[in-house]
Amino acid sequence: MKRMGTLRLLSDLSHFSGAARLRELLAADPAVKVRCSPDGRHLLLLRPPGAPCPQLLVAVRGSDAELERAWPAGHPSPLDAFFLPWPARPALVLVWESGLAEVWGAGVGPGWRLLRSTELCPAGGARVVAVAALRGRLVWCEERQAGAEGHLGPPAAFSHCVCVRTLEPSGEAGTNLGRTHVLLHHCPSFGLLASRKDLFLVPTAATWPGVGHILLIWSPGKGKVMVAAPCLGLSHSKNLNPGRGDTWDFRTLLRGLPGLLSPTNPLTVHTWAPTPQGLLLLDFRGTVSLVQTHGGTRTVGMLQEAPVGLAGSAALGTFHGTLACVLGSTLELLDMGSGQLLERKVLSTDRVHLLAPPAPGMEDEEELETRGGLRLLSALGLFRVGWEAPQGLEVPSAEDLVFEEACEYYQRRSLRGTQLTPEELRHNSTFRAPQALASILQGHVSPSTLLTTLRTELRDYRALDQLKAHLVAGDEEEAGWTELAEHEVARLLRTELMGDQLVQLNTVFQALPTAAWGAILRALQLQPDGNGRLKSHAPPDVWKKVLGGTSAGKEPPNGILPLFELLCQCLCRLEPQWLPPFVELAQQQGGPGWGAGGPGLPLYRRALAVLGEEGTRSEALELELLLGSGRPKAVLQAVGQLVRKEQWERALEAGLALGPSSPLLRSEIFKLLLAEFARHRRLDAYLPLLRRLCPPDLAPAELLLLLRTHLPDELEPPTPFPKPGTEPPLTVGLLRALLEQTGAQGRSSGPVLSLYEDILCDPGTPPPTPPRGPTTTLQASDHPGLEAWTPSG
């Protein structure tokens, strides 16, 4: 059955902000540049330099404010403008010929605001001739001062270079710009075109004719640049990864590929168009060719009419294996496999722009209904070009999708073995839907509250399915797998994380741990501070899912780890030094019953279980986890390990780090270290720290009693000096500092606290000597009692 092409009106532009100005610019200026945001809600119109005011208009679907800017006569206007694929908020970048770049954003407050302004060419003397935006990167071709003589042509012909700079969102109202990397030195003037994955460097009218037949394809995901000559049927691949510092000199590159320099005419191209399949080019004979990303070129088809000069407008695009070409007021649809003309339509206007479809995963509810076609924009409205569905094909309705999802939900909650079906849910009234959902399912045509609520979930599901299809087909490399892992983790975090969802999460972490941890990092909003600690701004609901786990004493089934254990295991593999700060942060975030303060195991013990059995785990990590747990038993265990290793200073600091809320724990640590102080002299150098750790309520008698308990037994009588080779005993000089401190602490409490109090409270100076008087000789007669002891005779 023959397919029927349809041209369906999506919008008459009336629900765009600034609709009147939008129609006026589309009808008045055929040379206006039109861009569409990744989510399809924003339209950008940029008039060429020298055009009358205004030169820039950003229209928004809905009630949001538009952005309209104009530059007075004599002032430079932007060379180009692009939307940035930031999911959190719409943003665009404007680039001037002088190298000035401005980043504008919406969604932070009312209207648009300038987020960042920077100079792409800070050295001066450079001029930007072309610019493109590619997946968070800004790429531009700049003309610099002519250098030394070249061997392939005049110096001015190779006075350009191609540079790249990363561009990422930062916080709620900021943006981060990376360092500038030079991809290509000493190259001719190139035009830049970007698809979602690749950057195409194409010759322009200003390109030196000797290399006007060569174009380059840079694939950041593969880290390669492809040098191709379509007219010669030749191509060559080179490694080019700016992250590793790779850069190429264009002249040196071509000297190594002499076959590409065969004498030939420059490419005569009327229109270029980047697509996911490669680069489409339309020549002046009406032939459409496709330069694929691996460098090969093939003819796609021949149009019924050829473009007349450069003045005629043309636009190219692809959808579902179909090539759409708008030439003037004619729309032709060709099969990309056979080149056969499928349909030809005459439009009511000759000023039509083909818009790229929204990025996968960023469509709204309207785009979900119209996915798979191309969009045409003109002053008459926004149209969709697609194929009519065959008669025998049944597309599942939103109602069926809702009931299918409900079946899986109720099947998990029920104890029955038979499978639930949508029909059973309908007829037996098993499905308990909210009132808003029930009104939608009854056939109301009003805007759907349900679809608005489920829009994000549906978008993510369909985007994941599409991304998986691309990966299975081999269209993506490492970047595609990373994106898939990030989307999958973000989606699973919105579920209950039980059963199959937890199994899937474990699988993602095992296969792509770095990408999975990156998604967790964004979900928890983790940021390190200057003290080596972590802080998080994530809501409590997210932390509740992270800290939830199995009951105490129960092993996870079939080796499937709960999310907290999964994150600890991932950190052990990637960044072990961040595991203790992460567990400490989790203990602060935990609530009753979350696993941190509930009846289950403490978080530090759950983290230790991930490290392995005792004796095989990392001792450094085990110590940090025990010390950071704040649990008395764990801290005492850690101090005991430090004492066995004779790491006295760290053991003392662990006790001093405990706050005023842990006096009993500090006292236990002091008694443990005091016992070591009594047994040997290796703690003498740390006596000031030991004094600081001494409990304030300890009396001298108690101190001496503790010391006597742990003093080593003396097998021989004490001697003034120790024998050679033996350890010196504890002396009064060493002990005096501790006794003075305990006595001073108890002195202010009133009466004498111990037998030694009057000795320790020494006033410092002896009492004055009493006056001395004359002495008298003791006479026997003065004491008659002595006579009885006098011997007789």
Side-chain angles (χ1 to χ4, degrees):
M1 181 172 58
K2 184 179 179 181
R3 294 181 293 178
M4 296 293 294
T6 59
L7 193 63
R8 172 186 167 190
L9 177 65
L10 298 179
S11 170
D12 60 355
L13 306 183
S14 59
H15 63 293
F16 279 91
S17 58
R21 177 70 74 179
L22 180 61
R23 294 190 187 98
E24 179 185 347
L25 293 181
L26 288 172
D29 196 345
V32 66
K33 291 182 179 179
V34 179
R35 311 272 191 222
C36 182
S37 62
D39 60 1
R41 295 186 62 250
H42 298 72
L43 290 176
L44 181 148
L45 276 68
L46 181 66
R47 307 175 83 177
C53 299
Q55 286 94 359
L56 174 68
L57 174 67
V58 179
V60 188
R61 184 191 302 169
S63 58
D64 296 340
E66 72 274 8
L67 174 64
E68 185 173 336
R69 291 199 65 191
W71 291 267
H75 288 258
S77 59
L79 178 68
D80 214 333
F82 303 94
F83 283 103
L84 299 175
W86 292 355
R89 63 175 185 271
L92 61 93
V93 58
L94 308 178
V95 181
W96 276 259
E97 189 179 89
S98 61
L100 173 65
E102 291 183 355
V103 182
W104 290 74
V108 180
W112 292 75
R113 59 180 295 186
L114 180 64
L115 302 180
R116 184 73 179 267
S117 179
T118 186
E119 290 288 343
L120 300 179
C121 314
R127 182 176 68 93
V128 176
V129 297
V131 64
L134 174 66
R135 298 187 78 171
R137 301 176 180 89
L138 197 62
V139 190
W140 68 93
C141 179
E142 64 178 57
E143 181 184 14
R144 296 183 175 179
Q145 299 293 334
E149 289 284 339
H151 297 284
L152 298 176
F158 299 96
S159 59
H160 296 72
C161 65
V162 178
C163 308
V164 63
R165 199 171 182 182
T166 58
L167 194 63
E168 298 177 351
S170 172
E172 290 295 327
T175 177
N176 285 335
L177 283 168
R179 297 178 57 187
T180 300
H181 296 278
V182 180
L183 293 178
L184 213 58
H185 288 281
H186 303 114
C187 65
S189 175
F190 275 124
L192 304 180
L193 301 167
S195 65
R196 287 178 186 155
K197 299 184 296 181
D198 306 295
L199 179 75
F200 302 94
L201 289 76
V202 300
T204 64
T207 305
W208 184 50
V211 291
H213 61 287
I214 293 176
L215 58 88
L216 284 77
I217 307 168
W218 177 46
S219 301
K222 302 176 182 177
K224 295 182 180 296
V225 62
M226 186 69 63
V227 187
C231 54
L232 299 175
L234 299 176
S235 63
H236 192 80
S237 174
K238 291 283 188 179
N239 293 328
L240 182 59
N241 189 346
R244 297 196 300 260
D246 292 348
T247 182
W248 280 98
D249 185 283
F250 183 77
R251 297 179 299 186
T252 305
L253 185 65
L254 291 189
R255 287 192 190 103
L257 306 171
L260 295 176
L261 294 178
S262 301
T264 184
N265 296 324
L267 289 172
T268 55
V269 178
H270 181 276
T271 302
W272 304 92
T275 65
Q277 296 83 11
L279 182 66
L280 290 173
L281 54 95
L282 171 65
D283 62 17
F284 289 94
R285 297 173 299 173
T287 303
V288 181
S289 302
L290 175 66
V291 182
Q292 296 168 309
T293 55
H294 53 69
T297 305
R298 69 180 182 90
T299 301
V300 176
M302 179 75 70
L303 302 182
Q304 297 288 319
E305 298 180 6
V308 182
L310 292 173
S313 63
L316 302 172
T318 60
F319 69 97
H320 283 188
T322 304
L323 168 68
C325 180
V326 179
L327 190 60
S329 59
T330 304
L331 169 65
E332 295 190 17
L333 302 178
L334 290 82
D335 184 88
M336 293 190 66
S338 62
Q340 178 185 3
L341 177 65
L342 301 176
E343 193 153 353
R344 189 169 185 266
K345 294 179 180 291
V346 178
L347 308 176
S348 56
T349 178
D350 59 351
R351 294 177 180 176
V352 178
H353 303 273
L354 279 179
L355 300 182
M362 302 194 69
E363 306 95 328
D364 55 17
E365 60 268 17
E366 294 183 10
E367 296 298 338
L368 288 174
E369 298 293 332
T370 61
R371 173 185 276 184
L374 275 179
R375 293 178 299 166
L376 275 68
L377 178 67
S378 70
L380 301 177
L382 184 64
F383 299 84
R384 173 185 175 272
V385 179
W387 296 112
E388 224 175 62
Q391 296 294 328
L393 179 64
E394 292 185 4
V395 180
S397 63
E399 181 181 353
D400 292 330
L401 291 176
V402 169
F403 273 109
E404 288 286 349
E405 188 71 21
C407 285
E408 295 184 7
Y409 173 72
Y410 286 117
Q411 189 73 43
R412 288 197 302 268
R413 297 188 59 184
S414 65
L415 298 178
R416 55 185 298 176
T418 58
Q419 190 73 20
L420 279 172
T421 61
E423 290 73 18
E424 188 172 353
L425 285 181
R426 289 190 182 95
H427 297 317
N428 297 340
S429 300
T430 311
F431 183 49
R432 298 289 182 262
Q435 186 176 0
L437 178 58
S439 64
I440 295 165
L441 296 180
Q442 288 172 4
H444 285 258
V445 190
S446 57
S448 168
T449 307
L450 171 68
L451 289 181
T452 303
T453 305
L454 299 180
R455 177 175 60 186
T456 304
E457 285 76 7
L458 291 174
R459 181 184 64 194
D460 291 346
Y461 273 122
R462 298 197 180 190
L464 279 172
D465 289 340
Q466 200 172 52
L467 182 58
K468 291 174 183 176
H470 286 317
L471 292 173
V472 170
D475 295 339
E476 291 280 354
E477 296 293 333
E478 181 181 356
W481 290 110
T482 301
E483 183 181 355
L484 174 63
E486 292 177 353
H487 281 298
E488 190 72 11
V489 171
R491 181 186 69 83
L492 289 171
L493 282 179
R494 291 192 293 270
T495 64
E496 298 179 7
L497 278 184
M498 296 173 61
D500 294 340
Q501 290 85 1
L502 197 57
V503 173
Q504 294 176 22
L505 196 62
N506 276 257
T507 304
V508 173
F509 268 90
Q510 292 170 7
L512 297 165
T514 304
W517 174 253
I520 293 292
L521 203 66
R522 281 184 288 276
L524 297 180
Q525 303 178 37
L526 294 179
Q527 291 180 351
D529 58 11
N531 301 322
R533 298 178 179 272
L534 288 175
K535 56 182 180 180
S536 169
H537 301 288
D541 291 343
V542 179
W543 276 106
K544 187 174 182 180
K545 291 184 179 181
V546 171
L547 301 182
T550 57
S551 302
K554 290 187 178 180
E555 293 293 331
N558 299 326
I560 302 302
L561 297 177
L563 181 54
F564 178 75
E565 281 80 355
L566 203 56
L567 297 183
C568 293
Q569 187 183 67
C570 184
L571 276 176
C572 287
R573 295 170 60 185
L574 299 179
E575 296 290 343
Q577 69 273 14
W578 285 111
L579 177 60
F582 174 73
V583 176
E584 189 174 350
L585 174 65
Q587 291 173 157
Q588 300 169 5
Q589 299 289 335
W594 291 11
L601 290 175
L603 290 184
Y604 81 94
R605 290 184 61 184
R606 293 173 61 180
L608 285 174
V610 176
L611 296 180
E613 297 294 334
E614 190 171 355
T616 60
R617 61 181 67 142
S618 170
E619 294 183 359
L621 279 180
E622 182 179 358
L623 273 174
E624 293 292 341
L625 289 173
L626 292 173
L627 291 174
S629 66
R631 299 291 184 105
K633 186 177 180 180
V635 175
L636 278 177
Q637 181 183 348
V639 173
Q641 293 183 15
L642 292 173
V643 167
R644 287 193 293 272
K645 295 180 179 180
E646 298 189 0
Q647 297 182 11
W648 312 114
E649 184 174 4
R650 192 173 180 193
L652 287 161
E653 289 176 350
L656 293 172
L658 296 173
S661 61
S662 307
L664 293 178
L665 182 57
R666 287 188 59 162
S667 177
E668 290 297 324
I669 295 177
F670 173 76
K671 293 176 182 178
L672 178 65
L673 293 172
L674 186 67
E676 298 294 325
F677 177 71
R679 295 189 185 104
H680 52 75
R681 306 275 53 82
R682 293 187 288 277
L683 258 170
D684 292 354
Y686 306 99
L687 188 57
L689 292 178
L690 187 62
R691 291 178 58 189
R692 288 174 54 193
L693 190 61
C694 180
D697 57 348
L698 187 66
E702 297 176 10
L703 178 67
L704 291 174
L705 186 60
L706 289 173
L707 285 170
R708 182 181 178 86
T709 305
H710 299 287
L711 282 173
D713 297 332
E714 295 181 355
L715 302 178
E716 299 178 0
T719 57
F721 303 100
K723 295 180 179 180
T726 62
E727 194 169 46
L730 177 64
T731 62
V732 177
L734 289 173
L735 191 58
R736 182 179 179 84
L738 273 173
L739 287 172
E740 285 180 346
Q741 177 169 336
T742 55
Q745 291 170 168
R747 189 183 312 158
S748 60
S749 59
V752 175
L753 298 178
S754 71
L755 298 174
Y756 311 96
E757 188 74 18
D758 53 346
I759 300 174
L760 295 173
C761 298
D762 189 359
T765 58
T769 306
R772 296 186 179 184
T775 59
T776 58
T777 306
L778 182 63
Q779 298 296 329
S781 60
D782 296 335
H783 299 275
L786 295 177
E787 295 178 358
W789 295 93
T790 305
S792 60

